[in-house]
Amino acid sequence: MDIADFLNGLPMQNYRPVESEKGIPVMKIKELRQGFCDANSEQCSPSINSEYLIQAGDVIFSWSGSLIVDFWCGLTCGLNQHLFKVTSNRYDKWFYYSWIKYHLYSFINIAADKATTLGHIKREDLAKAEVIVPNQKDYIKFANLLEPIYNLIIANRISNTMLTSLRDTLLPKLMSGEIDVSNIKV
């Protein structure tokens, strides 16, 4: 699968924030699975190499343990080991995401066959995964159909993340009476 680049994360326990820094969350498989970082997420230094920073909309692929591919729609965080940040200079996100998703079941089977304690796939497994690249005309047709759908999925999930955060901030203040809405006319 040479349509994308697979950047493996760092062992973030080696990149803790120093005293003068406000740390950022570390994305591990748990955070990828739940779709957000929380108060229990480990912290890393925000001054790690920028290629290891995950932004909303990035494609993340867990290659060890639970094999998952998903769009990250949470806040900026650091990419931990056992996760790939998937990018491409040649192909659109919808294209390489779709192909990883297509091969995911076979990757899960490969990992299960190797599992002694923690199943995983190797880069050679990725290299063996075959991909059909359409001609330019068909690629553009597919892009016109799929890219807006994937962009809408990502935008909606980012909105959900922001709305959840807003709810979690405001609800305790409303419940405690810190914010009074009794005089608001609707």
Side-chain angles (χ1 to χ4, degrees):
M1 183 177 299
D2 61 352
I3 59 170
D5 299 310
F6 294 80
L7 176 69
N8 193 19
L10 299 172
M12 287 299 176
Q13 68 272 17
N14 298 334
Y15 298 91
R16 299 283 186 226
V18 295
E19 283 186 30
S20 62
E21 292 180 318
K22 180 179 183 333
I24 60 170
V26 173
M27 178 197 291
K28 293 185 171 186
I29 295 169
K30 175 194 90 155
E31 285 78 12
L32 179 60
R33 185 182 294 116
Q34 70 188 17
F36 58 90
C37 296
D38 58 28
N40 296 320
S41 298
E42 290 183 24
Q43 299 284 302
C44 68
S45 171
S47 59
I48 58 173
N49 185 317
S50 63
E51 67 183 342
Y52 295 99
L53 292 175
I54 303 302
Q55 308 292 337
D58 285 345
V59 175
I60 308 299
F61 177 42
S62 164
W63 58 268
S64 179
S66 301
L67 274 62
I68 304 165
V69 62
D70 205 354
F71 299 108
W72 180 248
C73 296
L75 300 174
T76 299
C77 54
L79 181 67
N80 198 52
Q81 59 193 355
H82 301 128
L83 297 171
F84 286 130
K85 178 180 179 180
V86 187
T87 59
S88 178
N89 291 327
R90 294 178 48 204
Y91 297 101
D92 296 315
K93 189 181 302 185
W94 66 266
F95 187 70
Y96 57 84
Y97 171 84
S98 297
W99 275 110
I100 296 168
K101 193 78 168 168
Y102 173 81
H103 286 288
L104 191 61
Y105 184 72
S106 62
F107 291 152
I108 290 169
N109 286 331
I110 291 168
D113 288 344
K114 295 178 184 175
T116 52
T117 55
L118 189 65
H120 64 278
I121 62 166
K122 297 179 180 175
R123 286 189 183 272
E124 66 191 49
D125 299 317
L126 292 171
K128 290 177 187 175
E130 294 185 4
V131 172
I132 299 170
V133 178
N135 63 48
Q136 186 66 21
K137 182 181 173 186
D138 289 339
Y139 184 92
I140 291 170
K141 283 182 186 178
F142 291 135
N144 289 336
L145 289 172
L146 295 176
E147 192 165 19
I149 294 169
Y150 283 115
N151 288 342
L152 184 59
I153 290 168
I154 292 167
N156 285 342
R157 288 179 58 197
I158 291 169
S159 292
N160 285 344
T161 298
M162 289 201 262
L163 289 170
T164 299
S165 177
L166 184 60
R167 177 204 63 205
D168 292 348
T169 300
L170 291 177
L171 191 57
K173 293 179 181 192
L174 287 167
M175 298 298 288
S176 69
E178 184 179 338
I179 297 176
D180 181 13
V181 293
S182 60
N183 293 327
I184 295 177
K185 296 189 186 280
V186 192

